[in-house]
Amino acid sequence: MPWLGLGVYKAQDGDEVERAVKTAIQVGYRSIDTAAMYQNETGVGKAVKESGVPRDQIFITTKVWNSDQGYDSTLRAFETSRKKLGLDYLDLYLIHWPVKGKYKETWRAIEKICKDGLARAIGVCNFHVHHLQDLISDCEIKPMVNQVELHPMLTQKELLQFCKSEGIQMEAWAPLMRGGDMLQQPIFVELAKKYNKTPAQIILRWDLQNGVVTIPKSVTEHRIRENADIFDFALSAEDMAKIDAMNQNKRLGPDPDHFNF
């Protein structure tokens, strides 16, 4: 699983998402993260096919939406996503949210998908520690990934530590907290000057050094390029600690324990 991927939430199906995915692949991204709920799987699949890069070199993730959770409905939803993407298999299939009373049944279906060779890896999104403990207590295959909201205002340290102890890879959505003013925070402006990078690159590097896979979303070519330029420098331990100290447990998205499923 690549450490950096392109998120395509809110990218319109058709030209917009196709351009973004093709640009990302052209500049070196090898991971694309979509979901049934994003309604752009068809465009993602078309762009991947037309990119010229062999299928086995690109890591494709999608997710089962809340209204499709349950055993049989998850199997059907997976097939719908797979056909829209035009793929023989997925690299990673995720439960989008922990729908109470349904996510364990959904997980059984996803285990079958994995055992049948249709998804090479399986995991969850937006699961708290207690959700993971509940799932792990009687599953056949432990979740391999937990994709959650994670950024300097929501560092999720307890969850990150739990996932590391269980061998579950954490992945950050909304890593740049776009829509907020995080990129203008003085600490990131200061660190950007120090490392000759942009504030966004500082934050994405912080993810990597915490052992977190990051999938910033963008449909703008220069941002897609900029977000990928994070592998030629390292933040000092002192600067990592400064960013860690910004945590306010502040969410942009819903709390998984209080989501109107």
Side-chain angles (χ1 to χ4, degrees):
M1 184 180 188
W3 283 102
L4 173 74
L6 177 74
V8 296
Y9 177 51
K10 290 190 176 176
Q12 292 294 311
D13 202 21
D15 286 347
E16 185 174 71
V17 77
E18 288 169 32
R19 276 198 310 272
V21 171
K22 285 178 181 175
T23 296
I25 292 172
Q26 182 185 3
V27 304
Y29 287 71
R30 289 297 179 266
S31 174
I32 310 296
D33 179 273
T34 185
M37 191 270 284
Y38 302 169
Q39 298 185 338
N40 55 22
E41 291 169 315
T42 301
V44 169
K46 186 169 183 279
V48 168
K49 189 174 183 180
E50 293 176 359
S51 71
V53 175
R55 167 68 186 99
D56 62 3
Q57 292 180 25
I58 302 182
F59 192 96
I60 307 294
T61 301
T62 195
K63 313 172 189 84
V64 58
W65 184 238
N66 304 337
S67 56
D68 289 320
Q69 287 199 36
Y71 188 83
D72 291 332
S73 49
T74 293
L75 295 177
R76 287 193 297 270
F78 175 83
E79 278 305 304
T80 299
S81 288
R82 191 171 69 86
K83 285 172 182 171
K84 284 183 176 179
L85 287 160
L87 301 175
D88 293 331
Y89 66 91
L90 290 183
D91 297 281
L92 179 61
Y93 195 51
L94 303 172
I95 297 179
H96 211 143
W97 288 89
V99 177
K100 191 174 182 180
K102 284 195 170 181
Y103 65 76
K104 293 183 93 164
E105 192 182 348
T106 301
W107 187 250
R108 282 198 307 112
I110 290 179
E111 287 177 325
K112 175 176 167 48
I113 288 164
C114 184
K115 287 185 278 191
D116 288 347
L118 295 172
R120 293 190 168 182
I122 55 177
V124 297
C125 302
N126 304 303
F127 273 47
H128 286 325
V129 170
H130 72 87
H131 296 121
L132 290 169
Q133 288 171 327
D134 184 39
L135 198 60
I136 290 167
S137 67
D138 58 1
C139 67
E140 288 185 55
I141 304 171
K142 189 186 289 187
M144 302 169 192
V145 172
N146 186 19
Q147 183 187 120
V148 299
E149 181 180 354
L150 189 151
H151 44 71
M153 298 291 184
L154 181 67
T155 58
Q156 302 264 36
K157 289 296 185 183
E158 180 189 352
L159 181 59
L160 179 58
Q161 190 55 47
F162 177 82
C163 285
K164 284 182 176 178
S165 71
E166 291 289 341
I168 300 169
Q169 177 61 53
M170 281 266 281
E171 183 175 21
W173 64 259
L176 300 176
M177 205 179 172
R178 291 216 193 267
D181 62 349
M182 196 161 66
L183 299 182
Q184 282 76 51
Q185 292 280 339
I187 182 173
F188 296 120
V189 174
E190 173 195 321
L191 291 176
K193 288 178 184 171
K194 176 178 176 179
Y195 290 96
N196 195 27
K197 288 290 179 179
T198 67
Q201 289 165 342
I202 296 296
I203 294 167
L204 296 175
R205 183 69 206 181
W206 169 79
D207 280 338
L208 299 190
Q209 288 182 222
N210 274 318
V212 175
V213 169
T214 188
I215 46 168
K217 66 188 183 198
S218 182
V219 295
T220 310
E221 181 175 349
H222 81 270
R223 279 194 184 145
I224 290 171
R225 289 180 179 275
E226 174 190 304
N227 290 343
D229 190 18
I230 54 174
F231 295 96
D232 60 351
F233 76 108
L235 299 169
S236 70
E238 180 186 12
D239 290 333
M240 288 288 291
K242 283 182 189 173
I243 299 173
D244 287 343
M246 295 179 69
N247 180 54
Q248 297 176 9
N249 294 324
K250 182 177 180 181
R251 293 180 181 274
L252 284 180
D255 184 328
D257 279 335
H258 306 286
F259 188 100
N260 182 14
F261 297 114

